Amino acid sequence: MKSNHTINGLKRWSCKTKTIPDISAIKNIHVYDFDNTLFSSPLPNPQLWHSTTIGLLQAYEVFAHGGWWHNPDILASTGDGLEAEEPRAWKGWWNEVVVSLAETSIKEEDTLTVLLTGRGETNFANLINRIADARHLDFDLVVLKPEVGPQQQQFVSTMEFKQAFLKDLVFTYRFADNIRIYEDRVKHVKGFRDYMEKVNKAFSSSDPDRQASERTSPCAAEVVHVCELKSSLDPQVEVIAVQRAINRHNEAIKTGGPNPTRAPEKFFKISEQFLYFGYLISQSDSARLITLCNAHAHLIDSGEVKYMASSILIAPFYPRKDLLEKVGGRGNKVTWQVTGVAKFEDRIWAARVTPVSDKQIHTQDDTPMVVLAIRKGSRQIDAQRIKNWQPPGTEKQFIFETVVGDKVMLKVEEADEGALGNRGNRKNNRYALNNHNKRKFGQDDSSLVNKENQPQNHDSTRNENTWAHVAQGNRSNQQAGTRSFQKTQKKFDKQRSHNQFNNNHNSAINSNAPPAQSLAAQSQANTPRQRGTGTRKGGRNGGPGGYKSLDDYGGPGFDGANDAQNGNNAAAAAGAMVMNY
């Protein structure tokens, strides 16, 4: 009797042209997820965006052509961009442990290998095949989420799509004894395990309607949980990509153009929010300082404790001229050394520091310190209550350099159509809609859902500076809180850490300019801070009585258009790409 599950039918799922093995030749099936399992796909940078914006960027239905996971321009911008990365096979952007496992699977003659991702087939099939081919990963099947399934199925979530494919897969290769699935998302790991258990129970039961040619025995299923990879784009490139998506959305709403996601008829813009003024620490130095934190691993892995080590706070308010003079102005470099470590009630971990040079310093706390990590529900101001500092070992008396600067974050907010189109208002909105220089995209009508990860910078050798103001001299007449970028001539200092936001040549909109020459520069800050005011020294610059930063980012990820999920705040060591069985 002829089976309903055939090789030709299964190949309809794949966007790769390849002859796949005969049914009788396969004993094992290995399935690899793509995003942040096999490949370190960029995520919205929490050092760059306000927490509410992180969730908004990833949503499917907010922008007319979809969000972060539906825009091929984002994935193509990974590293130095498609043209530069493809010849070197995106070196440094892979989970080498999983790549090694995939290479072994591909070499086994009795193993069928599958690359499975929830990204939309329409927009991503070519790009993902190019990424895999560049690394010489010759999977038998490359399966992306189709707009309509082989049996005319409509999928409302990534899990529903993947389960439908897996059922077809194990029924087609009915002689395979086991299937192994590699996945980074906890929710999907559980979903696969539950689903395969359900499928195997059906195999074990007697079904008089089952055809003789169908699978009759269970397929042993193993779902391997992979530590999720976390990386981000270069901040300048990331803002350019988001601005292009916003411009495209605004144009669709303004002109009544294509709106495949049926996004609300709202206009958006990027604005800037000041957080604090401090001695900003580079990412590489931050990674070293974090090693001083002895918080239990399970607290980090669960997201109960979050790493910080981003700055030494000068003031939680926008600095006036007298405070700027005290600290030597923006861009002033100060070198520090760790002289003590301590924790407060298993809630706050901190490092006491002292300046190495004789430069004048000024800090919010009586004891200059770097908050290394903080537990949920705790206040960083309580770090001032630490009294018993323990001297670090000689090898832990780190010396590091900071740069005086403002920490700001960006927000995507609703905008008035008149403001976007009014040339006069553009002086105060560097990201205003530009109708004359729009990058053309293909149709972005896939129904891809979103990964539920919280992003971090990829490693200590890339994107060492995050988005913050660091400029020499004083800034006048700017208010703390949300402000629009001014379109003034952009100037870069000799060092990246001294770069300044200046925006007369707005290449975020005029996208013909190279990304490296567009937008504002970045500072050496990692994470926004959260402090209240404490005891002040005499002559200290005044400020508000309390302060709360946006440090506890955690905007929801999305797994489908309608089911918001909280992101996992996994905290493996910086750059770790290891397996978690």
Side-chain angles (χ1 to χ4, degrees), residues 65 222 402 413 547:
H65 297 277
E222 178 185 9
T402 61
E413 299 179 317
Y547 169 72

Side-chain angles (χ1 to χ4, degrees), residues 112-166:
L112 183 82
T113 56
V114 181
L115 181 60
L116 179 63
T117 174
R119 288 188 183 264
E121 182 180 77
T122 301
N123 297 316
F124 290 95
N126 177 65
L127 180 56
I128 288 181
N129 270 306
R130 289 175 68 176
I131 293 173
D133 290 345
R135 190 59 194 264
H136 305 296
L137 294 174
D138 188 20
F139 292 97
D140 295 308
L141 298 169
V142 176
V143 181
L144 285 77
K145 185 179 177 183
E147 296 180 24
V148 180
Q151 304 300 324
Q152 304 302 308
Q153 305 103 309
Q154 297 286 339
F155 305 112
V156 297
S157 72
T158 294
M159 179 52 68
E160 181 181 332
F161 144 67
K162 289 185 176 182
Q163 288 177 346
F165 166 73
L166 289 175

Side-chain angles (χ1 to χ4, degrees), residues 185-221:
R185 286 189 279 180
V186 174
K187 180 182 178 181
H188 279 198
V189 169
K190 184 180 185 301
F192 289 140
R193 287 173 178 166
D194 293 346
Y195 182 72
M196 292 308 301
E197 182 179 354
K198 177 181 177 181
V199 170
N200 281 330
K201 283 182 179 179
F203 290 147
S204 301
S205 64
S206 57
D207 183 356
D209 296 328
R210 182 182 295 150
Q211 299 181 19
S213 57
E214 296 282 4
R215 171 181 283 275
T216 57
S217 62
C219 181

Side-chain angles (χ1 to χ4, degrees), residues 293 295-307 373 569-572:
C293 177
H296 293 295
H298 74 275
L299 295 176
I300 303 297
D301 294 339
S302 65
E304 179 68 17
V305 170
K306 185 176 68 173
Y307 286 134
N569 189 16

Side-chain angles (χ1 to χ4, degrees), residues 45 47-48 235-236 276-289 308-313 330-336 370 399-408 457 460-471 493-501 520-529:
N45 189 342
Q47 321 302 342
L48 181 63
Q236 296 181 30
Y276 64 86
F277 183 57
Y279 297 98
L280 307 178
I281 302 172
S282 71
Q283 182 182 348
S284 56
D285 285 332
S286 176
R288 288 197 301 147
L289 291 170
M308 312 259 313
S310 58
S311 66
I312 303 166
L313 184 64
R330 293 184 178 86
N332 183 35
K333 290 184 177 181
V334 179
T335 302
W336 307 78
V370 177
I399 296 176
F400 61 96
E401 188 177 69
T402 61
V403 181
V404 174
D406 302 330
K407 175 63 177 179
V408 299
N457 282 339
S460 60
T461 62
R462 180 167 42 242
N463 297 342
E464 288 195 356
N465 304 322
T466 51
W467 196 279
H469 287 301
V470 180
D493 199 275
K494 293 181 180 179
Q495 308 241 355
R496 288 183 70 188
S497 61
H498 287 188
N499 288 343
Q500 178 183 11
F501 285 113
Q522 314 149 36
S523 81
Q524 295 181 340
N526 274 350
T527 313
R529 299 285 299 275

Side-chain angles (χ1 to χ4, degrees), residues 36 40 43 228-231 454-458 568-571:
N36 300 315
S40 185
L43 299 147
E228 57 186 354
L229 303 182
K230 297 178 180 181
S231 64
Q454 294 298 336
Q456 302 288 342
N457 282 339
H458 185 65
N568 290 323
N569 189 16

